[in-house]
Amino acid sequence: MNGPLKVALLGCGTVGSAVLRLLQDQSGDLAARIGRPVEVAGVAVRRPQHHPDVPGDLLTTDAHALVTRDDVDLVVEVIGGIEPARSLMLAAFESGKSVVSANKALLAEDGVALHAAAAKAGVDLYYEAAVAGSIPILRPLRESLAGDQLSRVVGIVNGTTNYILSRMAETGAGFGEALAEATELGYAEADPTADVDGFDAAAKAAILASLAFHTPVSAADVHREGISEVTATDVARAAEIGCTVKLLAICERVAGTDGDSVAVRVHPAMIPTTHPLASVSGAFNAVFVEAEAAGQLMFYGQGAGGEPTASAVLGDLVAVARNRLAGAAGQGPSGYADLAVRPMAETPTRYHVSLDVADKPGVLAAVAQEFAQHGVSISTVRQTGRGDAATLVIVTHSAPDAALSDTIDALREMPAVVGVTSVLRVEGLS
Ligand code: HSE
């Protein structure tokens, strides 16, 4: 068997068409790197008439027939969503074909079953493009760092929300205004829910945590909060304490009396402007990794877009093609550690709270008492006065998240508290 390796491309949107273009433009280099030419066997799309640039004899609406064709060796899935992507992937495995996918939602929902199906068939399932677009992060977690112990992976893995938060910080705009600008400039989709409400980042967090901690984590295990409640006041308060607001995907190993567990969460947080992630602005992505032996690492780049994402897809394609020619599948991710997933309520976090209060004796003591009653230790307090009113800005030490949120609820009920004007978690402060 010395003919070209044949690839079925499922989907030809922004990413698929970039994959197709790069496969053609770089065919010579790819053949040299793989050891065999790569040829596109077919391109499955829903509406062939929308793809005038793709040779007509490659286009098909029958994706299932394409992936199960005898002459197809490898499948690239860039359709996205759960179905029909899942059925097509399973059909590919059953007919002995490795799959390269960019499908974060599917991998985050059903990664364990899909890996099991690929392993049973002795083929590969690679999906570098599913998390942070062009940035190589899954392979480093899976391979380069396989000899180390990871403690935390913190990512800015959604470009839309990072763009919005960056503009809020730059211009002082509120969320609605910054979202409108992002939509007009094409950074946000017409329906921005998946990005703004954190679903996209939560799927990526599940994938990152699974690989980092050798533990199956699905999107349903991820605590998720979006950025629509972030106010211009939150952003201004962050600046006052030398911080900036980011939507973070935080995956960490947490030690407990009953053993280690993993905590995985997506929410907006203040981080110090000196933290490497603080300088990631606009639509860029970055993933910050803390490992026992390697120390701190940061991976930075373009997290979306046709060509950047296609770069990751093609990197995987080269890997699975080489494996196929070697007659072997690569090692899939391991779930051997199988750590428990820690509920958000029990996950240690820190809060920044800004309160408008009456400026009179005993108010600060009463506020501090409320924190103490919930077992929350205060790190810093700053007061600014305005006549007989004052603003208290409090940063806590780490405490279980439920204790912190219960404290906020109790503060809202205190007669001396005129208003709780900003509540945001804080990450990366010493
Ligand atoms: N919609 C994502 C983002 C890119 O805004 O970063 C695809 O995951």
Side-chain angles (χ1 to χ4, degrees), residues 104 157-160 195 200 204 285 303-304:
K104 67 209 151 225
V157 291
N158 183 269
T160 305
D195 294 316
D200 175 82
K204 293 166 179 169
N285 282 194

Side-chain angles (χ1 to χ4, degrees), residues 5 83 93-94 107 129 131 135 142 175 191 196 233 242 253-254 285 294 299 316 333 355 392-393 398-399:
L5 282 171
E83 283 295 349
F93 297 148
E94 273 164 30
L107 267 303
V131 179
I135 304 172
R142 204 154 98 160
F175 168 76
D191 177 0
V196 161
T233 305
R253 187 172 183 129
V254 183
N285 282 194
F299 303 78
D316 278 353
L355 309 168
L392 290 177
V393 177
S398 168

Side-chain angles (χ1 to χ4, degrees), residues 45-292:
V45 295
R46 263 185 305 175
R47 289 183 289 268
Q49 66 277 18
H50 288 192
H51 302 276
D53 296 341
V54 181
D57 58 340
L58 290 182
L59 288 169
T60 175
T61 54
D62 192 344
H64 188 270
L66 177 62
V67 299
T68 53
R69 245 167 61 182
D70 284 344
D71 64 329
V72 166
D73 299 293
L74 307 167
V75 173
V76 172
E77 182 274 310
V78 284
I79 306 174
I82 305 300
E83 283 295 349
R86 176 182 7 220
S87 303
L88 291 168
M89 254 189 217
L90 292 172
F93 297 148
E94 273 164 30
S95 55
K97 284 137 201 183
S98 294
V99 174
V100 173
S101 173
N103 194 331
K104 67 209 151 225
L106 180 53
L107 267 303
E109 180 172 301
D110 222 8
V112 172
L114 290 167
H115 277 294
K120 188 167 167 224
V123 296
D124 285 321
L125 169 57
Y126 280 35
Y127 43 93
E128 183 65 68
V131 179
S134 68
I135 304 172
I137 180 63
L138 302 192
R139 205 180 315 243
L141 291 179
R142 204 154 98 160
E143 297 177 9
S144 323
L145 291 165
D148 211 333
Q149 293 294 341
L150 304 196
S151 52
R152 288 185 112 214
V153 178
V154 182
I156 293 173
V157 291
N158 183 269
T160 305
T161 45
N162 203 51
Y163 179 84
I164 292 169
L165 292 171
S166 298
R167 290 300 290 161
M168 287 173 74
E170 284 157 14
T171 66
F175 168 76
E177 200 186 322
L179 171 63
E181 183 198 301
T183 310
E184 195 178 314
L185 295 176
Y187 287 108
E189 308 222 4
D191 177 0
T193 313
D195 294 316
V196 161
D197 289 349
F199 290 99
D200 175 82
K204 293 166 179 169
I207 295 171
L208 289 170
S210 302
L211 296 176
F213 304 118
H214 304 272
T215 288
V217 177
S218 75
D221 295 319
V222 181
H223 174 84
R224 176 190 54 77
E225 293 170 33
I227 64 161
S228 58
E229 307 285 311
V230 175
T231 64
T233 305
D234 292 330
V235 174
R237 290 280 183 268
E240 284 165 18
I241 60 163
C243 284
T244 187
V245 179
K246 296 290 182 191
L247 182 70
L248 299 180
I250 303 169
C251 317
E252 54 197 348
R253 187 172 183 129
V254 183
T257 47
D258 48 350
D260 286 5
S261 54
V262 294
V264 192
R265 50 198 164 105
V266 167
H267 56 70
M270 295 182 182
I271 54 169
T273 50
T274 49
H275 192 289
L277 285 172
S279 59
V280 178
S281 58
F284 278 83
N285 282 194
V287 182
F288 189 74
V289 177
E290 294 176 39
E292 213 168 87

